[in-house]
Amino acid sequence: MSKTRTLTYRDAIREALREAMQRDDRVFLMGEDVGRYGGAYACSKGLLEEFGEARIRDAPLSESGFTGAGIGAALGGMRPIVEIMTVNFSLLALDQIVNTAATLRHMSGGQFSVPIVIRMATGAGRQLAAQHSHSLECWFAHVPGLRVVAPATVADARGMLWTALQDPDPVIIFEHATLYNEEGEIAAEGEFSCDLDKAAISRSGRDVSLITYSGSLSKTLDAAQRLAEDGIDCEVIDLRSLRPLDDATIMKSVNKTTRAVIVDEGWRSGSLAGEISARIVEQAFYSLDAPIERVCSEEVPIPYPSHLEKAATPQVESIVAAVRKTLRT
Amino acid sequence: MNKPELSELVTRALYAVAPDLEGETIDPETPFRDQFEFDSMDFLNFIIELHQASGEEIAEADYPQLASLNDCVSYLKQKNV
Amino acid sequence: MPSLGADMEQGTLVEWLKQPGDIIHRGDVLAVVETQKGAIEIEVFNDGVLRDCRASPGDRVPVGEVIAILDGDDVSGMSIDKPSVSAVPSQAPVPDKPLSPGPRVTPAARRLAQQIGLDVRNIAPDGSGVVGLRQVQASSTETSPPKVQPAGIDFKAMRAAIAAAMARSNREIPHYYVSSDIDVTVFMDWLAQENARRSVADRLLYAVPLFRILAGTLVDTPELNGHYDQGTFSPAQTVNAGIAIAMRGGGLVAPSIQDVAGKSVDELRISLTDLVGRVRSGRLRSSELSNATVTFSNLGERTADTLMPIIYPPQVAIIGCGQIVRRPWVKDGEVHVRQIMSVTVAGDHRVSDGRSAARFLSRFEKRLTKPEDL
C-alpha cells in the first residue's frame, strides 16, 4: 500500500495550479482577486509571490473582458486558466464562452482551437444569497464545443486540472462552494492527473442507483449510508463529467438496480436531472421497475436565511424519501 | 461483488436457463458446453441471464471468455460487477 | 385423443385445464396429455362450450377416442338452456365502455412476466396498486412448481417413438439426397455486424436468419413443403417448420413454428427462444407436434460437417445443415479462406425429384448472399 496524505479540496486545487505552472510555462492564472487577495476562496494564496504578476494576473471586474482575453491568449498559443468567482457572474462572460470559445474550432473549419480552462465556483450552502448561490452547470452542459466537469472529491480536484489543460478545446471546471474546506485522502506523491470522461461508482449497491455530482455527492453518500441501516443497498454514481455524460456507466447501473434517483442542485425545470432521466427512459426503459425520481432545488432564487437555503436545496432527508418512493415502501 | 457473490450470480443464471440442472454439482473449470450439453441457444440464454443479473453489456466477441463458471467469475470481476 | 405425431398410438390424460360448462375459444389449452414426447398441452380448434369430459386423469386413451364433447362453434349458443330471446338482435350495439384501467405494471415487471409466461392481469399488485418485479417473482414461485415437470419425459419411450417413426419413414418413403457446400461468409459477416449493434437480449443465433431464409426459399419450391397422405400430396399454404431440438439426456423432438416465411427475423427469434424454453421444461403444445410441413435440422457449432436426415412422415422433405467450417475455397479464380456450410435436402421421390432440391439449394445459396433483404 503506497502512502497517502490528507488535504483539503482548496489545497488540492492550489497544488494542481502550482504543478501546472511548474510543468508548462504557457500556463497562467487570471481572474478577479486571484493575486494579491489569493482568490475569493483562497485557492491561489501564495502563488503571486511564487510565480509573479505576469503569470498570476488580477483582472478588473469585467468577466466578459478577461474571459475574452483568456480566449485570445489560448488562440495565441498560451494555456490560460481563467477563474470566475461564481457561476452567477459567468453570465457576463456567456457571450465569450458560448459564442466564441465553443464555436471557433467549428467556424474556422478546424484551423483554430481554444485550449482554455475556466474554473468557477457554483452552488448554495454558504449563505451568499440569490446572486452567488445558483447551480447553472446545465446551461454550459447544453453547449456543444465545451467540455464540462465537476470534481466532487479531493482527488478529482487535484487531478482534473492538468488533464483539462491537455484538452485542445475549452474545458469548464465547476467547484462547489461548500467543498473547499472538505478533507480527503490522496496519494502522497506521483502522477495525479485523472480521466475526465467516466463517471465513478462512489458506492456500489443493488437496489437503487443514485446519480449525482459535485456538492450533492456527500449528501447522497450520507443518504445511502442511512438507507443501508434499513437494509436498502444503494449504488451512488458521481457523474464527474457533465458534458459529455457517461451514459454507459449510468445504464449499466440502472439495468442492474432497476431504479434511479437523480440528485441535482439545479432547478428541476430544464435540468441535468431531466436530461439524465430522459436518457434512462430512452436507453433502459425495459429495466425500470419504478418511475425515476429527481431531487432538485426548489424553483425559487436561493434564499439567504440558513434554514430556507437548506429547505430549498437537496438534503439527506429528501434523498432518503425519494429512494423510499422508488421502492414503494 | 466478491468472488462468492459472483459465483452465486452465475450459478443462478445457469439454473434459470436449465432448471433441470438445479442440484447438480458444477465443476468450475469444465466448459458448460461439455458439462451440460449446452447448445448455442442455451448459451445465448445464459448470456442474457448474466446480462440481466449483472447489468453488464456483454459483447459477442467476449463470449469465448465465458465458457466455464470460473471464466464467468473472472470476466465479471474484471468488469467491476 | 389427438394424434401428436405419426408414431403416437395412445396418450395418458394428466389433467383437465377446463371444466364442463366453460366457454372455450380457439387456441385455448383444454388438457395436458402425457406422451412419449413429454407432457403436451392439447389445444382446441373451435369456439364453443365444453359439455362433457369423458376421460379422467390417469386414463390411457387410444388415438381417435373421444375424450370430451364440445358444443357448437357458436359461443352465443350458451343460450341453449335459456329461454329463447331470439327476437332481440343478437349483435345489439354495445355501449362504449371506458377501458378498465387495470393494474399499473412497471416496464421491468411486464418484461419479466412475458419472459416467464405469466399474464400480468393475474398478478396481485402491491399496496400502492403497482405490479413490480417483486410481485412477478412472487407470483412465479407460487405457480411454477406444478407447471414444469421435466421429469415427466420418459426417455426410453421417446427412443421407442423415434424408432417407430424413423423405421416407418425408411420403409415407406423413397428418399433421395441432394447436397451442396455453400459459402456463408457474406451471411455470417452480416450477422456479426447486425449483432454488434444489438443489445445482449436481442442478439441472433445464426440459426434464426438461416431458418428464415430456408423458409423464404421453400415458398418458391412448394413440392418440398406439405404432407403426403394415402397416395396424394397436399402442398401447404404456409411453411410450418419443424425444428429438430436435441434434449439434454438424449432424445429429439421437432416441434413446429407456424408460417416461418411470414415472420420477421425478430418474431422468429422470439418464437424459437420460446420453443426451446418449452422443450427444456417439457411443455409443448399439441399443434406444434402435428402440423409441421417440413423439418429443419441444424447441427450447430462444434458438431459435424454433414448430415443425411430422414423425413418425418407425412412430411415430404427435411433439410439438414452441418456446422460452419473455414475451408480453402476458390472464388474468382483464387483460393480464399471462406466459411462453408454443407446443406443437404432429403426429398420424397413420390412427390418430387432431385432437380427440385437442386433448384432449391441454388436459390437458397443466392439468398444467403443478400442477408440484408431480410
Side-chain angles (χ1 to χ4, degrees):
Chain A
M1 202 58 197
S2 56
K3 275 190 167 168
T4 60
R5 63 199 162 104
T6 303
L7 76 172
T8 63
Y9 189 93
R10 170 186 295 110
D11 291 339
I13 287 173
R14 187 184 305 121
E15 250 191 50
L17 287 168
R18 182 181 290 120
E19 182 199 13
M21 308 278 282
Q22 286 166 348
R23 278 171 88 163
D24 186 342
D25 58 15
R26 296 172 302 173
V27 173
F28 69 95
L29 174 69
M30 176 160 62
E32 293 158 2
D33 285 338
V34 299
R36 230 162 283 285
Y37 185 69
Y41 291 98
C43 291
S44 49
K45 216 175 182 68
L47 297 186
L48 176 65
E49 291 73 17
E50 192 173 343
F51 295 100
E53 283 185 349
R55 299 187 68 192
I56 306 292
R57 306 178 71 92
D58 274 321
L61 303 188
S62 171
E63 280 77 7
S64 181
F66 67 77
T67 304
I71 291 169
L75 283 168
M78 303 296 282
R79 291 291 180 272
I81 301 170
V82 168
E83 177 178 314
I84 296 177
M85 218 176 263
T86 139
V87 67
N88 281 83
F89 303 169
S90 77
L91 306 189
L92 291 156
L94 267 187
D95 174 57
Q96 290 296 345
I97 297 171
V98 177
N99 281 332
T100 305
T103 61
L104 274 186
R105 176 183 289 286
H106 173 81
M107 301 286 293
S108 69
Q111 295 180 81
F112 298 121
S113 65
V114 184
I116 189 174
V117 173
I118 303 174
R119 296 174 39 240
M120 55 183 98
T122 184
R126 293 174 59 104
Q127 281 198 271
L128 295 171
Q131 291 164 332
H132 300 72
S133 301
H134 289 150
S135 291
L136 304 175
E137 298 85 62
C138 94
W139 293 12
F140 293 89
H142 178 64
V143 180
L146 300 180
R147 179 191 276 278
V148 181
V149 296
T153 63
V154 170
D156 279 345
R158 178 68 181 85
M160 279 185 170
L161 181 71
W162 181 252
T163 319
L165 283 165
Q166 309 316 303
D167 196 304
D169 294 309
V171 179
I172 316 279
I173 301 180
F174 282 104
E175 299 160 6
H176 197 280
T178 57
L179 289 175
Y180 290 113
N181 291 328
E182 293 294 314
E183 289 188 337
E185 290 221 333
I186 63 169
E189 54 194 20
E191 177 64 45
F192 295 99
S193 62
C194 57
D195 84 273
L196 301 183
D197 302 303
K198 285 196 124 24
I201 306 289
S202 303
R203 175 190 178 112
S204 76
R206 295 160 188 243
D207 295 336
V208 187
S209 299
L210 308 188
I211 300 155
T212 189
Y213 67 96
S214 193
S216 300
L217 175 64
S218 63
K219 294 176 190 171
T220 305
L221 285 167
D222 288 349
Q225 184 56 42
R226 193 179 297 179
L227 286 157
E229 288 157 18
D230 294 340
I232 298 167
D233 190 12
C234 297
E235 179 146 302
V236 177
I237 297 178
D238 171 12
L239 289 173
R240 299 180 71 247
S241 170
L242 309 183
R243 182 186 185 88
L245 285 168
D246 178 4
D247 289 2
T249 298
I250 297 170
M251 301 316 152
K252 182 173 163 183
S253 176
V254 174
N255 281 329
K256 179 175 71 172
T257 63
T258 73
R259 298 176 179 86
V261 174
I262 305 157
V263 185
D264 173 4
E265 203 182 296
W267 293 300
R268 178 184 305 254
S269 303
S271 60
L272 266 174
E275 173 64 27
I276 293 164
S277 171
R279 290 184 189 209
I280 292 172
V281 172
E282 285 165 349
Q283 298 173 45
F285 177 77
Y286 293 103
S287 295
L288 289 175
D289 199 32
I292 296 166
E293 286 292 322
R294 289 188 280 165
V295 184
C296 298
S297 283
E298 296 299 324
E299 310 237 350
V300 294
I302 298 297
Y304 169 74
S306 175
H307 66 294
L308 291 181
E309 186 179 44
K310 271 212 177 80
T313 50
Q315 301 298 339
V316 174
E317 295 71 25
S318 50
I319 300 168
V320 166
V323 169
R324 290 195 186 281
K325 208 168 158 200
T326 66
L327 289 159
R328 296 189 284 275
T329 55
Chain B
M1 272 185 238
N2 58 31
K3 280 198 174 162
E5 284 170 336
L6 286 172
S7 174
E8 164 80 22
L9 181 148
V10 175
T11 310
R12 273 205 310 266
L14 264 181
Y15 290 159
V17 175
D20 49 322
L21 294 181
E22 203 144 349
E24 281 191 37
T25 42
I26 299 172
D27 174 27
E29 286 296 339
T30 311
F32 303 131
R33 277 176 194 276
D34 303 337
Q35 203 173 167
F36 306 124
E37 298 179 44
F38 258 36
D39 61 17
S40 43
M41 171 73 80
D42 293 322
F43 187 72
L44 182 66
N45 286 336
F46 168 67
I47 297 284
I48 292 171
E49 287 289 334
L50 265 194
H51 157 68
Q52 278 164 2
S54 68
E56 189 60 44
E57 268 296 329
I58 301 165
E60 201 177 26
D62 292 347
Y63 289 1
Q65 298 176 44
L66 296 161
S68 69
L69 179 62
N70 279 355
D71 282 359
C72 293
V73 170
S74 38
Y75 178 85
L76 294 173
K77 189 95 207 140
Q78 162 212 331
K79 292 279 180 181
N80 288 322
V81 170
Chain C
M1 174 63 63
S3 167
L4 305 169
D7 45 302
M8 176 168 161
E9 289 168 358
Q10 57 183 12
T12 305
L13 188 83
V14 176
E15 60 173 324
W16 287 107
L17 298 178
K18 300 282 179 189
Q19 304 308 321
D22 286 357
I23 300 173
I24 312 284
H25 296 287
R26 182 187 164 85
D28 283 354
V29 176
L30 190 62
V32 179
V33 168
E34 182 75 39
T35 72
Q36 292 150 320
K37 288 171 181 164
I40 308 294
E41 296 178 343
I42 306 295
E43 297 152 277
V44 178
F45 293 90
N46 302 87
D47 293 342
V49 178
L50 181 60
R51 185 36 68 100
D52 187 13
C53 297
R54 295 277 175 90
S56 312
D59 288 358
R60 289 163 77 91
V61 184
V63 168
E65 189 128 311
V66 173
I67 56 171
I69 306 281
L70 205 59
D71 260 345
D73 315 76
D74 185 11
V75 179
S76 65
M78 290 258 298
S79 59
I80 332 165
D81 295 331
K82 292 181 194 161
S84 168
V85 284
S86 57
V88 180
S90 61
Q91 289 297 318
V94 182
D96 279 349
K97 254 194 311 186
L99 275 176
S100 92
R104 287 176 296 157
V105 184
T106 69
R110 200 175 282 283
R111 182 175 65 180
L112 179 66
Q114 198 177 12
Q115 279 166 355
I116 59 182
L118 289 178
D119 185 338
V120 289
R121 288 169 302 187
N122 299 333
I123 299 173
D126 66 8
S128 56
V130 175
V131 173
L133 278 177
R134 199 176 306 165
Q135 282 69 42
V136 177
Q137 279 154 355
S139 174
S140 87
T141 51
E142 272 166 29
T143 55
S144 64
K147 196 181 80 186
V148 185
Q149 298 171 314
I153 298 166
D154 179 341
F155 287 105
K156 221 165 139 185
M158 174 181 280
R159 180 52 58 197
I162 295 170
M166 293 301 104
R168 177 185 151 195
S169 172
N170 252 357
R171 200 165 51 235
E172 294 179 5
I173 302 178
H175 286 68
Y176 65 83
Y177 287 95
V178 175
S179 76
S180 273
D181 287 349
I182 293 179
D183 179 356
V184 295
T185 313
V186 172
F187 170 77
M188 293 302 281
D189 288 350
W190 167 84
L191 185 67
Q193 268 179 17
E194 183 68 22
N195 277 341
R197 63 176 188 81
R198 284 169 175 257
S199 74
V200 175
D202 297 340
R203 280 184 203 147
L204 299 170
L205 292 171
Y206 76 75
V208 173
L210 185 80
F211 290 163
R212 176 64 186 75
I213 296 173
L214 280 173
T217 315
L218 272 171
V219 171
D220 302 331
T221 326
E223 63 272 32
L224 297 178
N225 182 44
H227 286 170
Y228 182 89
D229 204 15
Q230 297 179 356
T232 20
F233 170 61
S234 325
Q237 300 302 313
T238 55
V239 180
N240 301 337
I243 309 292
I245 299 171
M247 326 248 322
R248 261 194 291 283
L252 185 73
V253 281
S256 65
I257 297 178
Q258 305 294 303
D259 192 13
V260 174
K263 284 187 161 55
S264 71
V265 170
D266 280 296
E267 286 166 348
L268 185 56
R269 168 177 64 79
I270 291 163
S271 299
L272 191 63
T273 308
D274 169 60
L275 193 64
V276 173
R278 284 185 297 104
V279 167
R280 296 279 183 258
S281 61
R283 202 76 188 249
L284 291 166
R285 300 199 186 110
S286 52
S287 57
E288 290 166 342
L289 284 178
S290 47
N291 72 359
T293 58
V294 64
T295 298
F296 299 159
S297 181
N298 176 43
L299 283 179
E301 293 161 30
R302 306 209 307 182
T303 52
D305 292 350
T306 308
L307 81 161
M308 294 284 167
I310 296 171
I311 298 168
Y312 190 81
Q315 297 163 36
V316 297
I318 180 167
I319 300 165
C321 301
Q323 68 180 343
I324 295 174
V325 286
R326 282 170 206 278
R327 288 235 186 100
W329 190 257
V330 178
K331 186 171 181 283
D332 305 326
E334 284 179 34
V335 179
H336 300 268
V337 176
R338 305 290 285 179
Q339 301 186 63
I340 307 302
M341 181 169 65
S342 158
V343 181
T344 304
V345 178
D348 182 340
H349 237 320
R350 297 171 300 182
V351 177
S352 64
D353 304 313
R355 177 187 283 264
S356 302
R359 196 168 51 223
F360 169 81
L361 282 172
S362 85
R363 285 176 180 161
F364 175 59
E365 184 169 13
K366 199 168 287 170
R367 279 181 184 238
L368 272 178
T369 61
K370 295 199 177 93
E372 63 278 6
D373 290 353
L374 280 176

